[in-house]
Amino acid sequence: MKAVTGFLDLIDKLLLAIGALAVVLVMGIGVAEILGRGIFNAPIRGQIDVIESLMPLVALLALGYNLRDGSHIRMSLLIDRLPDRLRFATEAAGLTLGAIIGTILAIGAAEFGARALRFSDSTPDLRLPTWPVKYVVAFCLALFALRCALYAVSYLRACFGADPGSLTLPAPNHEYDGEDARDV
């Protein structure tokens, strides 16, 4: 299981880098559009199509990395106070639900990608094909579902007595330091 998780870590880091590049491209196109429109009275043709194609990448490419790193938003007020076995079982149940939902969404996104490919769906101005982005969304959701399933299995093993140190578990989410933002 550690080999699979290690391979997923490499894929997640690559997708994170691509997602960061997509963020930089969106920002660059936005700045160029504002400058072009404001200074030269020459908007960038099709910039909305490009940004529309990049936004799913910005939103989803880092999904698996965030789950692994524990940097996603989650409420754990109750879960953190549970006894270990009950906490592990609760985490496993939540991750199993995440894997199921991720799988359903990945299948739906793949079907949308197939439909877009079949009907040659494209963006309005530049006629960029939409199917590649839809398949990337399906791929990212499938990886997320796989990572959720692997973590759920690890939490179940911990629940039934395996040493948590020997398991592949996500990084703990960043703890609140107790300092109120108003006091800073």
Side-chain angles (χ1 to χ4, degrees):
M1 184 142 62
K2 289 200 184 269
V4 173
T5 305
F7 180 68
L8 285 178
D9 288 348
L10 289 175
I11 291 174
D12 285 339
K13 287 178 184 176
L14 176 65
L15 292 177
L16 179 67
I18 294 169
L21 179 63
V23 169
V24 169
L25 286 173
V26 166
M27 290 179 1
I29 292 169
V31 168
E33 169 67 15
I34 291 168
L35 292 176
R37 187 179 295 270
I39 296 173
F40 304 109
N41 198 24
I44 298 174
R45 181 179 168 268
Q47 61 94 14
I48 291 176
D49 290 355
V50 175
I51 290 176
E52 178 182 286
S53 297
L54 289 173
M55 286 313 290
L57 305 181
V58 169
L60 292 175
L61 284 178
L63 191 61
Y65 181 85
N66 287 335
L67 178 63
R68 177 187 72 108
D69 190 44
S71 57
H72 58 289
I73 297 171
R74 68 182 251 153
M75 297 300 291
S76 59
L77 296 172
L78 177 64
I79 292 175
D80 288 346
R81 289 174 173 75
L82 295 175
D84 282 347
R85 284 190 181 219
L86 185 55
R87 181 170 46 92
F88 293 150
T90 304
E91 292 280 4
L95 286 163
T96 300
L97 184 62
I100 291 168
I101 291 171
T103 301
I104 291 168
L105 291 174
I107 291 168
E111 288 173 356
F112 280 129
R115 187 177 312 131
L117 181 60
R118 187 172 44 251
F119 294 122
S120 300
D121 188 26
S122 62
T123 60
D125 289 341
L126 296 180
R127 299 284 181 218
L128 298 172
T130 61
W131 63 267
V133 173
K134 293 178 181 181
Y135 278 128
V136 168
V137 169
F139 177 72
C140 290
L141 289 168
L143 283 178
F144 174 76
L146 178 60
R147 189 170 284 282
C148 282
L150 289 173
Y151 286 153
V153 168
S154 288
Y155 274 115
L156 281 175
R157 289 181 57 211
C159 183
F160 291 110
D163 175 28
S166 69
L167 301 173
T168 303
L169 298 173
N173 51 325
H174 306 289
E175 295 294 324
Y176 176 67
D177 64 3
E179 189 173 277
D180 194 344
R182 293 171 295 196
D183 296 333
V184 177

